[in-house]
Amino acid sequence: MKNFCFTHHCARRCNLSLLAAMMGLIVMFTSCKEENPTIEQQNLVADQLTALYTGNIDEFLQHADYASFEMSDSLHVKIMRAVLSDFVKKAENLNGGFDKIVLTGAQMPEDTVTLVFYDLHFKNGEVQSHSQKVVRRNDQWVLRMKEN
């Protein structure tokens, strides 16, 4: 009969348990979902379009990039406020008003460009699918309102 060493047996079982726990941690950390690289841009679109459709036009304009003119020009800002205000009123009248935005996806073809897809839900039940280009300007993501 072979001698049985309780201490040796327990140490070996402990080492195996420790090894199994370490392997589990390694698998858990390496299989963790990669962070979504477009989450900031998607949140920007949802937040700013919500601001627009709820009448906070100045908030919306702070995160808009028109490419063809500087938003610091007060005449252009006044014109854009009037245009956007009219747009929101028409949407309110036609669709019963804004209800919510549901993000449906995003593509990032370049490091400085993201295309965010979303559905606009209105109070009358209508749903419109849209996309919004988001560009990186001066280390900030902004909504691109017009193509160059």
Side-chain angles (χ1 to χ4, degrees):
M1 179 178 207
K2 192 174 181 183
N3 287 342
F4 178 76
C5 177
F6 183 73
T7 306
H8 177 71
H9 178 73
C10 286
R12 189 170 172 213
R13 286 189 81 184
C14 244
N15 284 341
L16 288 175
S17 295
L18 182 61
L19 180 63
M22 288 175 60
M23 291 297 288
L25 286 174
I26 289 169
V27 168
M28 183 176 78
F29 285 119
T30 57
S31 66
C32 282
K33 202 174 195 178
E34 186 178 308
E35 187 176 318
N36 183 346
T38 64
I39 195 71
E40 181 181 356
Q41 300 92 304
Q42 290 183 58
N43 287 337
L44 175 71
V45 168
D47 293 346
Q48 296 316 306
L49 289 178
T50 298
L52 173 66
Y53 280 99
T54 57
N56 194 345
I57 293 169
D58 287 331
E59 169 71 19
F60 175 81
L61 287 173
Q62 288 176 359
H63 296 91
D65 174 49
Y66 283 88
S68 59
F69 61 86
E70 287 296 317
M71 287 306 295
S72 59
D73 182 344
S74 62
L75 178 60
H76 281 123
V77 172
K78 286 179 185 178
I79 291 169
M80 289 313 302
R81 270 193 205 117
V83 168
L84 291 171
S85 180
D86 187 49
F87 170 78
V88 171
K89 285 177 188 170
K90 284 181 181 176
E92 182 83 24
N93 291 334
L94 289 174
N95 304 313
F98 169 78
D99 183 28
K100 65 183 175 181
I101 292 176
V102 176
L103 299 170
T104 58
Q107 295 175 350
M108 195 170 187
E110 300 172 33
D111 288 347
T112 59
V113 178
T114 303
L115 192 58
V116 177
F117 302 95
Y118 62 94
D119 290 336
L120 266 179
H121 292 251
F122 294 94
K123 290 180 182 172
N124 69 355
E126 184 178 346
V127 177
Q128 298 176 356
S129 295
H130 296 277
S131 63
Q132 175 63 55
K133 186 179 272 190
V134 181
V135 296
R136 194 145 181 88
R137 291 271 185 244
N138 302 321
D139 292 328
Q140 276 193 311
W141 290 104
V142 292
L143 305 177
R144 172 54 62 92
M145 305 313 293
K146 184 177 179 183
E147 289 299 317
N148 282 348

